[in-house]
Amino acid sequence: MDPIADYLTRLRNAIKANHRIVEVPASNIKKEITKVLFDKGYIQNYKFEEDDKQGKIKIALKYNPLTKQSAIVKIERISSPGLRKYSKSATLPRVLNGLGIAILSTSKGVITDKEARELNIGGEVLCYIY
């Protein structure tokens, strides 16, 4: 149905079960979202594995060593195939007053809301993460 929602749900379920590594089927949009999560420090590491089908993404989740709490507190899908949510550069969302990030799909690729403000472009709001 919705591959991005499936990707986010797999991450959410792995965090609730305190897994260290989660495997998800690969696609180009999922690879880009994973790169953004790694660049912003929400995951520890990732690896793309190719096979004879579509490939897999192995994601090492990040936890606080003292409190055992995940770096990702909440991950929420915003735009869905049935109801797309677009935002102009002037009305880009702020997640937790700037503490979280919104991941957008733009003409410049998959970027965060802060990068989209700097580039002065809008796009489809894929998800919120904090």
Side-chain angles (χ1 to χ4, degrees):
M1 299 278 229
D2 183 11
I4 298 172
D6 176 61
Y7 170 81
L8 298 177
T9 301
R10 286 176 189 241
L11 282 178
R12 199 178 305 117
N13 289 342
I15 290 167
K16 285 191 179 186
N18 289 325
H19 290 294
R20 293 282 173 208
I21 295 174
V22 61
E23 275 189 23
V24 294
S27 73
N28 288 336
I29 190 88
K30 291 179 196 173
K31 288 179 182 179
E32 294 302 314
I33 293 172
T34 305
K35 288 177 186 174
V36 169
L37 289 177
F38 178 72
D39 291 341
K40 297 301 172 188
Y42 286 102
I43 59 175
Q44 193 169 3
N45 210 343
Y46 64 91
K47 186 165 86 172
F48 302 134
E49 290 185 351
E50 298 297 326
D51 58 7
D52 54 347
K53 299 176 193 155
Q54 63 187 20
K56 292 181 181 174
I57 306 171
K58 281 192 173 183
I59 301 170
L61 299 172
K62 190 177 200 178
Y63 293 95
N64 184 333
L66 300 175
T67 62
K68 306 283 191 246
Q69 187 172 354
S70 172
I72 299 173
V73 176
K74 188 166 183 182
I75 188 163
E76 181 181 3
R77 179 80 157 120
I78 302 302
S79 183
S80 66
L83 183 62
R84 303 279 185 194
K85 299 280 185 179
Y86 295 96
S87 184
K88 296 179 183 176
S89 60
T91 60
L92 286 172
R94 289 176 56 90
V95 182
L96 275 183
N97 209 13
L99 295 176
I101 61 169
I103 297 180
L104 292 103
S105 175
T106 67
S107 58
K108 302 283 187 196
V110 177
I111 58 175
T112 65
D113 56 328
K114 295 173 181 94
E115 293 166 348
R117 272 191 208 90
E118 289 173 8
L119 296 172
N120 199 26
I121 55 174
E124 182 183 354
V125 182
L126 298 175
C127 60
Y128 291 161
I129 298 171
Y130 55 89

